[in-house]
Amino acid sequence: MRIVIVGAGQAAASMAARLRAQGHDGPLTVLGAEPVAPYQRPPLSKAYLLGQMGLDRLVLRGPEWWQDQEIDLRLGETVTAIDRTAREVVSDRGRLAYDALALTLGAVPRRLPASVGGHLPGVHVIRTLADVDALAPAMQPDRRLIVIGGGYIGLEAAAVAR
Ligand SMILES: Cc1cc2nc3c(=O)[nH]c(=O)nc-3n(C[C@H](O)[C@H](O)[C@H](O)COP(=O)(O)OP(=O)(O)OC[C@H]3O[C@@H](n4cnc5c(N)ncnc54)[C@H](O)[C@@H]3O)c2cc1C
């Protein structure tokens, strides 16, 4: 059975590991839009933003693990459609057949609408490694930070900034 997992985040990494542990030895492919292997997001607004943790500790499994497990991890590839009749996923790189398909697509932060400035330079969101790599250099002494959204991630970003 050919299993395809779309979305290469924490859920995908856990699911792929569990499938192998439970004896699925057939083709297993994980497709992810981000250019990096599945990584932990929680440190992004904590130790990683503070500069106390590198990418090497953020990634959940090293490249050798994916190879050893014979899991085809395809990064930087965005799935744009599912052809359920043909049982294929369609991505920006072509088509891939599946017998079973799992969607582990995560979430995206809500941005402020462009009409109130959500698109302006200096306005960031925090979800991905790329988001935090863009934000961190802007967090400098003598600059002002406004956090919009007082949930855990906003409070953690404020604490790191302070
Ligand atoms: C800054 C931050 C701090 C957090 N802190 C905590 C914490 O302290 N404790 C806690 O329990 N949780 C925390 N969380 C939440 C936790 O990280 C998420 O619950 C977890 O990452 C969800 O994993 P996931 O695999 O479901 O989704 P994600 O990690 O979002 O992975 C989904 C992946 O799918 C990809 N994808 C989406 N659509 C497509 C497509 N069409 N084609 C290809 N790929 C696609 C995305 O690019 C993404 O890489 C935090 C999250 C963030 C952002």
Side-chain angles (χ1 to χ4, degrees), residues 6-11 31-34 41-42 44-46 77-79 104-107 126-127 153:
V6 179
Q10 198 146 359
L31 298 178
E34 288 183 71
R41 292 188 200 281
L44 289 181
S45 50
K46 309 174 185 75
E77 182 166 350
T78 301
V79 169
T104 56
L105 304 174
I126 299 184
R127 178 72 193 176
I153 294 170

Side-chain angles (χ1 to χ4, degrees), residues 19-120:
L19 282 166
R20 285 297 189 231
Q22 292 192 335
H24 171 65
D25 56 6
L28 180 52
T29 305
V30 177
L31 298 178
E34 288 183 71
V36 276
Y39 58 91
Q40 325 169 50
R41 292 188 200 281
L44 289 181
S45 50
K46 309 174 185 75
Y48 185 82
L49 187 55
L50 270 172
Q52 294 176 346
M53 186 178 185
L55 178 58
D56 55 324
R57 286 176 55 214
L58 221 52
V59 292
L60 292 162
R61 313 265 185 184
E64 62 293 338
W65 183 86
W66 296 96
Q67 275 170 18
D68 291 349
Q69 297 294 314
E70 297 184 24
I71 299 167
D72 186 11
L73 177 61
R74 290 165 48 165
L75 301 173
E77 182 166 350
T78 301
V79 169
T80 52
I82 301 167
D83 182 341
R84 293 179 66 192
T85 308
R87 295 179 86 85
E88 291 176 339
V89 292
V90 183
S91 81
D92 47 6
R93 292 195 210 152
R95 287 177 163 261
L96 179 67
Y98 65 84
D99 299 303
L101 178 64
L103 303 180
T104 56
L105 304 174
V108 286
R110 280 185 289 171
R111 287 179 173 270
L112 286 178
S115 58
V116 294
H119 65 299
L120 292 173

